[in-house]
Amino acid sequence: MDPLDVLTNLDKVFPYYQAIFSADEQTVIGYEVLGRIKINDQVDSLGSFFHDESIPDEYRIEVDDHLLHIAVDEFLELNNQELMLFINRDANLLMLDHGENFLQTLIEKQEKGLHLDQIVLEITEHNFLGDIEQLYHLLLYYRTYGIKVAIDNIGKAGSNLDRIGLLTPDILKIDLQPLRLTSPLQSYYDVLYSIALLARKIGATLLYEDIEVNFQLQYAWKNGGRYYQGYFLSNPTRNFIERDDCKERLRLEFQRYISSEKRKLEGLYNFTEKFNLRVQQMLNKIGKQYTDYKQLLEQLSKELDDCCFRIYICDEDGFQQSVNIFKKANWEIQPQYYLKNWSWRPYFLANIIRMRFDQKGFLSDVYSDIETGELIRTFSYPLDQNLYLFIDLSYEYLYEADGLL
């Protein structure tokens, strides 16, 4: 798009609005402003215009300001203080005047009834080339006026979680477009998990965007998303859609997700109870018919050959008290793991205490095994004398068992 075509046709530049929905009420909680231009009866996105760094800064700022004025004025006509208006800004352009022009425009709109706590400023952290400390202070200054901050496009490019943590945004927008790939890398899911942990730590709300199909919405619902946005729910439109536009549809979808998740959790509970009984019966059968832990593990491997690929024993401080017995083509001994310490692993000590008090085994979440790189679960079981048995269940076994992956 020729930038001069945009600048000479500002009267044909206007905002579109894409609705953002909440999980708790299944209603619209806000609208994101998207730039459009209409030439020869065709409406085109201005996304490429705003992302083209070869276009002079002042041109992009002028169009940004034009859209801002129209969007805020139209937003005020809704006369609803519960709604939010999400406004995109290039952080590099914002810092040219330390954010003064943007703030003054919003302050002027206060006279027309705008409440600044209805404004959400969206920036993309990984595109910012300046001093992150200066950007942090600007955002902190905006917050004194009630303006909220959202970090956009997380998960789509090389977002730096340390920098995002420093900026302490109110909302993290996670891009789910990579989920449409035939087979997303496990590292993508790991990044999303890390982002969800970061959001919880800094008190940010998760907004999942680019939701285009049902399973993306289900993933967002299951993984801590409070807000949702995408073509699956609502296309960008010139006018604001009604708040209850998707309420019944979302309610039905959520009920389906809830039923599915409850069935899965019940299945996991039942599997854990049965596997706990299986291990208990095996240990009772073996009794004290072994001279050392290596011999015990060898006997267990024969009983568990159908489901696991690694077995070992640790004490309550995480020091391994046995060798590993590991299944490749056949079972083999790995003596190098004796006395290694695993207390550094997340939740290891918490799980030990859980077993000590409950005196029963439990199943871990799905995670990537360090050595094999495959998705696995670990079944942990308390033995005598402050010792704990760890049984790593193979991917093949989990895949065949309904609901374990």
Side-chain angles (χ1 to χ4, degrees):
M1 182 178 297
D2 189 331
L4 290 178
D5 287 342
V6 177
L7 289 166
T8 55
N9 289 281
L10 268 183
D11 59 320
K12 298 175 182 177
V13 170
F14 45 84
Y16 262 42
Y17 304 103
Q18 187 169 30
I20 296 167
F21 299 85
S22 73
D24 41 4
E25 295 183 357
Q26 302 95 54
T27 58
V28 174
I29 55 87
Y31 306 88
E32 180 180 359
V33 178
L34 303 170
R36 297 290 188 268
I37 186 169
K38 185 175 183 180
I39 297 180
N40 299 326
D41 294 326
Q42 181 175 332
V43 177
D44 293 317
S45 169
L46 289 175
S48 60
F49 173 85
F50 288 119
H51 293 123
D52 188 349
E53 295 181 3
S54 68
I55 297 174
D57 295 343
E58 59 269 23
Y59 289 4
R60 289 185 287 160
I61 292 172
E62 182 177 353
V63 178
D64 256 337
D65 290 346
H66 173 78
L67 287 168
L68 179 61
H69 280 284
I70 297 175
V72 173
D73 287 345
E74 292 181 345
F75 180 71
L76 288 173
E77 292 177 7
L78 295 174
N79 194 28
N80 189 329
Q81 294 181 23
E82 294 181 0
L83 291 168
M84 294 182 284
L85 190 66
F86 289 67
I87 300 168
N88 289 282
R89 274 294 186 271
D90 184 319
N92 296 297
L93 299 183
L94 201 64
M95 290 299 295
L96 291 177
D97 68 346
H98 300 287
E100 281 301 319
N101 179 61
F102 176 73
L103 180 60
Q104 286 307 311
T105 300
L106 295 178
I107 290 175
E108 290 170 8
K109 297 295 182 180
Q110 281 184 299
E111 298 177 2
K112 293 186 175 183
L114 177 67
H115 295 262
L116 295 192
D117 60 3
Q118 293 180 272
I119 298 297
V120 180
L121 169 65
E122 285 193 32
I123 62 171
T124 303
E125 167 274 328
H126 61 256
N127 288 342
F128 181 61
L129 303 176
D131 186 339
I132 195 70
E133 290 281 350
Q134 290 188 21
L135 179 60
Y136 162 73
H137 288 297
L138 173 63
L139 300 182
L140 193 63
Y141 179 55
Y142 280 170
R143 285 197 183 90
T144 64
Y145 287 88
I147 298 171
K148 300 177 181 66
V149 176
I151 303 294
D152 195 12
N153 283 332
I154 297 177
K156 196 170 188 176
S159 300
N160 186 313
L161 297 188
D162 289 339
R163 288 183 10 141
I164 293 172
L166 174 65
L167 297 176
T168 58
D170 303 281
I171 297 171
L172 295 179
K173 294 191 71 175
I174 299 178
D175 188 340
L176 286 185
Q177 200 230 356
L179 279 186
R180 294 294 305 274
L181 298 175
T182 305
S183 177
L185 295 175
Q186 179 59 34
S187 59
Y188 172 72
Y189 292 103
D190 294 340
V191 168
L192 294 191
Y193 179 71
S194 298
I195 293 169
L197 289 180
L198 173 65
R200 183 178 178 184
K201 183 176 180 180
I202 65 177
T205 297
L206 289 180
L207 191 167
Y208 286 92
E209 61 180 337
D210 285 335
I211 296 174
E212 299 178 352
V213 288
N214 189 291
F215 79 87
Q216 289 175 309
L217 178 62
Q218 184 171 11
Y219 180 91
W221 171 86
K222 185 178 177 181
N223 288 274
R226 184 181 182 186
Y227 300 147
Y228 315 113
Q229 181 182 18
Y231 293 149
F232 181 71
L233 299 171
S234 176
N235 293 328
T237 58
R238 178 66 188 93
N239 299 309
F240 301 102
I241 68 169
E242 294 296 326
R243 293 197 67 189
D244 290 340
D245 190 74
C246 272
K247 187 177 181 68
E248 184 61 19
R249 179 183 169 198
L250 281 172
R251 188 187 66 78
L252 292 174
E253 293 288 2
F254 289 169
Q255 190 58 57
R256 190 166 61 83
Y257 302 160
I258 291 166
S259 297
S260 174
E261 191 65 15
K262 285 168 68 175
R263 286 194 302 271
K264 183 176 180 180
L265 291 172
E266 288 168 0
L268 283 172
Y269 177 82
N270 290 331
F271 172 85
T272 301
E273 291 295 302
K274 289 178 182 177
F275 203 84
N276 187 80
L277 181 61
R278 178 180 177 181
V279 173
Q280 187 180 59
Q281 290 174 341
M282 281 189 298
L283 290 170
N284 289 338
K285 176 183 175 182
I286 295 170
K288 297 298 181 180
Q289 301 173 22
Y290 59 89
T291 56
D292 55 31
Y293 296 135
K294 174 175 169 290
Q295 188 178 4
L296 171 62
L297 297 181
E298 287 174 337
Q299 293 186 60
L300 286 172
S301 69
K302 295 175 184 177
E303 300 285 345
L304 296 168
D305 187 72
D306 64 308
C307 61
C308 84
F309 69 97
R310 184 193 291 120
I311 315 174
Y312 57 99
I313 296 169
C314 290
D315 67 18
E316 67 175 16
D317 293 328
F319 287 96
Q320 191 161 327
Q321 299 299 305
S322 72
V323 297
N324 275 4
I325 185 164
F326 184 85
K327 184 179 181 182
K328 290 185 179 178
N330 298 299
W331 287 97
E332 60 184 53
I333 300 299
Q334 295 178 321
Q336 67 269 28
Y337 288 95
Y338 177 60
L339 288 183
K340 289 207 173 196
N341 185 270
W342 306 112
S343 62
W344 53 270
R345 284 179 167 171
Y347 314 116
F348 184 94
L349 293 178
N351 291 340
I352 291 290
I353 298 302
R354 177 179 173 184
M355 283 190 285
R356 184 206 289 174
F357 281 96
D358 292 349
Q359 281 301 302
K360 62 189 298 186
F362 73 95
L363 194 65
S364 75
D365 292 335
V366 176
Y367 67 96
S368 293
D369 182 62
I370 294 175
E371 187 171 343
T372 67
E374 292 188 337
L375 295 178
I376 70 167
R377 287 181 185 265
T378 297
F379 185 81
S380 310
Y381 187 87
L383 296 174
D384 295 333
Q385 301 172 342
N386 297 322
L387 295 175
Y388 300 87
L389 179 67
F390 294 87
I391 301 167
D392 289 342
L393 304 180
S394 67
Y395 175 84
E396 291 80 7
Y397 178 75
L398 299 177
Y399 183 81
E400 294 295 332
D402 185 39
L404 292 187
L405 276 179

